[in-house]
Amino acid sequence: MEAQNDTKISEFLLLGISEEPELQPLIFGLFFSMYLVTVTGNLLIILATISDPHLHTPMYFFLSNLSFVDICFTSTTVPKMLVNIQMQSKVITYAGCIIQIYFFALFVGLDNFLLAVMAYDRFVAICHPLHYTLIMSPRLCGFLVLASWVTSALHSLLHSLMVLRLSFGTGLEIPHFFCEPNQVVHRACSDTFLNDLVIYVAAVLLAGGPLGGILYSYSKIVSSIRAISSAQGRYKAFSTCASHLSVVSLFYCTLLGVYLSSSIAQNAHSSATASVMYTVVTPMLNPFIYSLRNKDIKSALKILFEKL
């Protein structure tokens, strides 16, 4: 029992993207730049939706929540990596690792649920336009966001508690730039069958469920758009959900690509590099996707910059 307690207060080593010393300044500069762009871009989306009364609608309410989650998601992993590079250290404490796992699982789950909620919003707007304001009431919108937070928080708490039951050896090396749950679990000294079971069941329920809802919503949206007689009407209907569809495709394709490639290649460093796509690149690109194709966001940002 005493030996197990010692392992629980040990420090882990995050090996990062690369262990080559000459690459560290380049990695630092690249990730620092992407982090600044991510925070700035998503913060501008939030400020634009708050400052412009025309954007006080369910769609932009969900978008501002997604932008906030993306800031938090990136902030869970990147700042620690930047500090380690700057301090020329690879250490993360056991408690710090558990906290990182909790918030990583929390914000991944929130991304899943918010993207599904936004798909439902587009489904109601296109398939039931006359009842949109009645269905997407402020109460329902608030409930959907609150339910997403509560479910994600419980899911991430379960992941953290499952890791706490494991025993680890001293000097544990994690070939990643953050405490990725799967990497941490598979480096435990104790049996991980229950942890693997929880991870896979949670992935099916909490990722497959929202993804199924998104696919169902868009199947109905496509059917409704095809029923529109005029080409202009079809284009206008599709343009309202094109940005969201782009973000969904980017998030799920990169997420699935990372875990499928890592399971095939069995190369931890390749998995760490690939995971940059959904942990850093996707949150960075989301504001550009929504602003470049959205006249309302462009107009709100222009007004915001004029006020500043």
Side-chain angles (χ1 to χ4, degrees):
M1 181 65 71
E2 188 176 348
Q4 185 175 356
N5 289 337
D6 289 340
T7 60
K8 283 188 175 296
I9 60 171
S10 66
E11 295 176 333
F12 296 160
L13 299 178
L14 297 174
L15 301 185
I17 300 294
S18 172
E19 296 184 69
E20 299 294 331
E22 60 271 15
L23 291 179
Q24 300 310 306
L26 176 62
I27 294 173
F28 180 88
L30 182 62
F31 275 79
F32 182 70
S33 301
M34 289 194 294
Y35 181 65
L36 283 182
V37 171
T38 301
V39 173
T40 303
N42 284 288
L43 190 59
L44 285 174
I45 294 291
I46 294 171
L47 293 175
T49 55
I50 292 174
S51 62
D52 191 340
H54 296 97
L55 300 184
H56 293 175
T57 63
M59 181 175 75
Y60 295 109
F61 170 68
F62 297 135
L63 176 58
S64 61
N65 275 274
L66 181 66
S67 294
F68 174 74
V69 168
D70 280 342
I71 292 174
C72 297
F73 185 27
T74 310
S75 299
T76 300
T77 58
V78 176
K80 176 59 180 174
M81 185 189 71
L82 295 176
V83 169
N84 278 6
I85 293 175
Q86 189 67 20
M87 301 293 292
Q88 297 183 352
S89 170
K90 298 178 181 179
V91 171
I92 184 170
T93 63
Y94 178 82
C97 190
I98 296 298
I99 291 171
Q100 201 172 63
I101 288 173
Y102 175 84
F103 284 107
F104 173 79
L106 172 67
F107 294 121
V108 167
L110 277 168
D111 261 335
N112 274 303
F113 287 119
L114 287 176
L115 288 174
V117 167
M118 294 171 77
Y120 175 71
D121 173 73
R122 293 299 83 208
F123 160 73
V124 176
I126 294 173
C127 299
H128 306 283
L130 299 179
H131 300 95
Y132 178 73
T133 54
L134 181 64
I135 296 174
M136 300 305 295
S137 63
R139 175 177 290 184
L140 177 63
C141 294
F143 171 77
L144 290 173
V145 172
L146 179 61
S148 299
W149 274 94
V150 171
T151 306
S152 298
L154 293 175
H155 164 241
S156 58
L157 179 62
L158 175 62
H159 266 303
S160 303
L161 292 176
M162 291 301 295
V163 175
L164 282 172
R165 61 179 286 274
L166 299 175
S167 301
F168 296 95
T170 57
L172 179 68
E173 294 183 343
I174 303 173
H176 220 292
F177 65 94
F178 69 96
C179 286
E180 200 274 333
N182 200 41
Q183 294 285 346
V184 174
V185 167
H186 288 153
R187 275 154 182 79
C189 300
S190 49
D191 181 50
T192 63
F193 171 78
L194 190 57
N195 292 75
D196 290 332
L197 182 63
V198 169
I199 288 174
Y200 290 125
V201 170
V204 171
L205 295 178
L206 300 181
L211 181 59
I214 291 170
L215 294 175
Y216 175 80
S217 295
Y218 273 103
S219 68
K220 293 296 183 181
I221 288 171
V222 170
S223 299
S224 296
I225 291 176
R226 290 178 63 185
I228 299 174
S229 57
S230 67
Q232 184 178 2
R234 287 196 296 269
Y235 174 78
K236 185 177 180 180
F238 178 75
S239 63
T240 62
C241 56
S243 297
H244 176 260
L245 188 58
S246 300
V247 171
V248 167
S249 302
L250 182 64
F251 179 76
Y252 281 104
C253 287
T254 54
L255 189 63
L256 291 173
V258 166
Y259 284 99
L260 288 176
S261 62
S262 63
S263 62
I264 295 172
Q266 296 296 325
N267 189 321
H269 275 294
S270 297
S271 174
T273 305
S275 66
V276 173
M277 285 301 298
Y278 76 90
T279 57
V280 183
V281 176
T282 299
M284 180 183 70
L285 292 180
N286 285 354
F288 294 100
I289 294 173
Y290 275 104
S291 60
L292 290 176
R293 297 183 58 90
N294 192 307
K295 293 181 180 179
D296 294 332
I297 290 289
K298 285 182 181 178
S299 176
L301 287 173
K302 184 177 179 181
I303 295 172
L304 182 63
F305 283 128
E306 288 176 355
K307 290 180 179 180
L308 296 176

